Amino acid sequence: MSLTVVGSIAFDAVKTPFGERDRMLGGAAVHFSLAASFFTEVRPVGPVGDDFGAEQFEVLERRGILTEDIERVAGGQSFFWRGRYEYDLNVAHTEDTQLGVFAEFEPKLSELSQAADTLFLANIQPDLQRQVRAQCSASFSGLDSMNLWIETAKDSLLAAVAEVDCLVVNDAEIRQLTGEANLARAARAVMALGPRAVVAKQGEYGAALFTEGGFFALPGFPLEDVRDPTGAGDSFAGGFFGYLDGHDGDLDETHLRRAMGYGTVLASFNVEEFGTERVSRLSREEIDERFETLRAMTQFDGLAAPAE
Amino acid sequence: MSLTVVGSIAFDAVKTPFGERDRMLGGAAVHFSLAASFFTEVRPVGPVGDDFGAEQFEVLERRGILTEDIERVAGGQSFFWRGRYEYDLNVAHTEDTQLGVFAEFEPKLSELSQAADTLFLANIQPDLQRQVRAQCSASFSGLDSMNLWIETAKDSLLAAVAEVDCLVVNDAEIRQLTGEANLARAARAVMALGPRAVVAKQGEYGAALFTEGGFFALPGFPLEDVRDPTGAGDSFAGGFFGYLDGHDGDLDETHLRRAMGYGTVLASFNVEEFGTERVSRLSREEIDERFETLRAMTQFDGLAAPAE
């Protein structure tokens, strides 16, 4: 099995009440790939500039991530984002965004990326997402987006959503995209466009999964120390799609629910430290241990043994 | 087993995008009592005015609620609240509050109310909560409060919290009360004051339960039609404490988790219609059916049979 992800590969400057970093490895495709790398073979697709060097490639390659579709643009600068968080860590305030080489990005997938079983379109301009979708034969695909594209490129975004199996966005974005204040109705409206699953990311409250006739939700994993929420949603998506791609067989309700669990676990490790610091030295054993803890925390009958 | 609750018994005027009511039965002790009445014997304590008549008493008595501790104050007016909700139903905007007979309320519990096994102190001035707590020998007690008392009577509220077993408030209030932005830390700070359980109500996101060494969370029950959120938190508390009081044996983690489930279910029925309309004609069969649906929705292994 193999997984292709297209999205930003970036440097981030982040300030939170618990510290700051001037220039650290980041970007949606990076956080996604690191999280997914514990489950399957991952190929991130996206452009970087001359400033993206051996040190950054090594973070990815140490986790077995296949970097041949990361396009180095000579003379260019990598995508750069600067943001800060208030005391409650719930809202990111963007202070600077420099598209750099992303401004001229025209996705060209290698043959191996085109042949991936699973495709994830991280948050980029929806016409670019559609170009990538058209190049890839994946049998299962997902998409993330943001309020900017709902406001400036809604028709393109709706067309992109219609071409994927699973939408993974913040709950406020599902409401904004559909014009439905009620989340259950909004999710149903998305499914009417094409996707058979909708994941509503809810920040510290966790995430909810809507399928035809199904509903499942997990709380965020309770942590006493959260240092930097940047990349939490992308880490969630990486755990979610990584598990689904790495798993043989049908993507039925049980597997989607387990994928929600792995997404929640990867997001929780991501926020414990800045940027990719925690996930880049994580082990599969730590993931599985937290997965079992999360399962025990969400069993209705508290003292029941796990069902497996 | 028996349950005493002290709190407002009121008339509400409510406007939501889905309708309005000029003057309907409401108040925390009313919503709590109706929800708890499906599980145990309930005695609400609180004052009403001449305007509270046979029609209102009948709503309670039809559900077997014992009304002898509802004090009728001759010449007085019942507590009155007027509020409205925006399109997303998440925030109540208070337009008018008239304390009426509540302004002079001095709680005097009857012998039967004093002897209750379980006591719930709904959101009233914390010195009044302490007066009630001192009169009641209940072996399990809970308390709700609000930002007003955190801002104007914090020392009294902290003393009241220290005297109960379980705090049930909105998550923002736990943060405000403790000065801790991190909810897990905030809940631990509350437990250091005395309570052995803390329930953080999270509106549409559901509720989280913190105990010594334990964590559990449930999403709000997904509904496509929510008409009036007034009383949802009190209905949650009624289902939660009603189930715990109605249940023989230790209040261990399993029972607390099941109580979270019944609280979630009662809150979900409450918001389907205005005021007490839905819960006052609910059946235990409908509650148990939705409880099983909620359990199935939150089982990690989607296709596993219920554990019981």
Side-chain angles (χ1 to χ4, degrees), chain A residues 71-230:
Chain A
E71 186 187 345
R72 276 190 85 161
V73 180
Q77 291 286 303
S78 300
F79 186 99
F80 176 78
W81 178 77
R82 179 189 297 279
R84 64 180 170 79
Y85 297 84
E86 306 282 354
Y87 189 55
D88 75 356
L89 297 176
N90 282 328
V91 183
H93 301 279
T94 292
E95 295 186 331
D96 191 12
T97 302
Q98 295 175 21
L99 288 178
V101 293
F102 238 88
E104 308 292 326
F105 178 45
E106 295 199 11
K108 291 174 290 294
L109 275 61
S110 67
E111 280 187 26
L112 283 167
S113 274
Q114 291 176 27
D117 302 287
T118 304
L119 172 66
F120 185 67
L121 306 166
N123 169 36
I124 55 173
Q125 208 281 341
D127 291 317
L128 290 180
Q129 292 179 315
R130 297 188 69 195
Q131 284 178 36
V132 174
R133 183 72 195 92
Q135 291 177 46
C136 185
S137 60
S139 60
F140 190 70
S141 57
L143 180 149
D144 188 8
S145 192
M146 70 183 295
N147 53 356
L148 173 68
W149 309 125
I150 300 173
E151 289 153 16
T152 63
K154 190 169 178 177
D155 289 344
S156 294
L157 178 56
L158 290 171
V161 168
E163 292 167 2
V164 297
D165 302 291
C166 182
L167 180 70
V168 181
V169 294
N170 295 328
D171 58 352
E173 291 158 357
I174 300 178
R175 294 186 162 103
Q176 190 182 359
L177 180 66
T178 60
E180 276 284 358
N182 178 287
L183 188 62
R185 283 177 183 266
R188 194 153 52 83
V190 170
M191 286 188 274
L193 297 173
R196 63 183 176 94
V198 176
V199 176
K201 295 184 285 185
Q202 302 172 320
E204 66 166 316
Y205 298 112
L209 167 71
F210 295 86
T211 52
E212 177 70 30
F215 175 81
F216 179 65
L218 284 176
F221 190 87
L223 295 170
E224 294 206 357
D225 291 296
V226 176
R227 290 196 179 81
D228 172 20
T230 310

Side-chain angles (χ1 to χ4, degrees), chain A residues 87-88 90 171 175 179-185 188 202 204-205 210 215-226 252-254 257-262 291 294-304 307-308, chain B residues 87-88 90 171 175 179-185 188 202 204-205 210 215-226 252-254 257-262 291 294-304 307-308:
Chain A
Y87 189 55
D88 75 356
N90 282 328
D171 58 352
R175 294 186 162 103
E180 276 284 358
N182 178 287
L183 188 62
R185 283 177 183 266
R188 194 153 52 83
Q202 302 172 320
E204 66 166 316
Y205 298 112
F210 295 86
F215 175 81
F216 179 65
L218 284 176
F221 190 87
L223 295 170
E224 294 206 357
D225 291 296
V226 176
D252 63 16
E253 182 79 15
T254 299
R257 290 181 176 201
R258 291 181 65 91
M260 290 280 289
Y262 282 109
F291 182 89
L294 177 66
R295 183 211 295 275
M297 280 175 171
T298 55
Q299 288 294 302
F300 223 119
D301 295 284
L303 304 178
E308 296 198 322
Chain B
Y87 189 55
D88 74 357
N90 282 328
D171 58 352
R175 295 185 161 105
E180 275 284 356
N182 178 288
L183 188 62
R185 283 177 183 267
R188 193 153 53 83
Q202 301 172 321
E204 66 166 315
Y205 297 112
F210 295 86
F215 174 81
F216 180 65
L218 285 177
F221 191 87
L223 294 170
E224 294 206 357
D225 290 296
V226 175
D252 63 17
E253 183 80 14
T254 299
R257 290 180 176 202
R258 291 181 65 90
M260 291 279 290
Y262 282 109
F291 181 89
L294 178 65
R295 183 212 294 275
M297 280 175 171
T298 56
Q299 289 294 303
F300 223 119
D301 295 283
L303 304 178
E308 294 199 322

Side-chain angles (χ1 to χ4, degrees), chain B residues 60-102:
Chain B
L60 301 174
E61 285 161 1
R62 265 206 317 267
R63 287 281 335 129
I65 293 165
L66 300 160
T67 59
E68 68 267 20
D69 277 32
I70 296 180
E71 187 187 344
R72 276 189 85 160
V73 181
Q77 289 286 304
S78 299
F79 186 100
F80 176 78
W81 179 77
R82 178 189 298 278
R84 65 180 168 79
Y85 297 84
E86 306 281 356
Y87 189 55
D88 74 357
L89 296 175
N90 282 328
V91 183
H93 301 279
T94 292
E95 296 185 332
D96 191 12
T97 302
Q98 296 175 21
L99 288 179
V101 293
F102 238 89

Side-chain angles (χ1 to χ4, degrees), chain B residues 252-289:
Chain B
D252 63 17
E253 183 80 14
T254 299
H255 295 125
L256 289 169
R257 290 180 176 202
R258 291 181 65 90
M260 291 279 290
Y262 282 109
T264 299
V265 166
L266 268 298
S268 76
F269 280 115
N270 175 272
V271 303
E272 286 184 346
E273 297 180 23
F274 277 79
T276 62
E277 291 168 10
R278 182 69 183 93
V279 176
S280 63
R281 60 177 167 74
L282 194 60
S283 72
R284 180 64 195 253
E285 291 66 36
E286 289 173 304
I287 292 169
D288 287 337
E289 189 183 331

Side-chain angles (χ1 to χ4, degrees), chain B residues 138-151:
Chain B
S139 60
F140 190 70
S141 57
L143 180 149
D144 188 8
S145 192
M146 70 184 293
N147 54 355
L148 172 68
W149 309 124
I150 300 173
E151 289 153 17

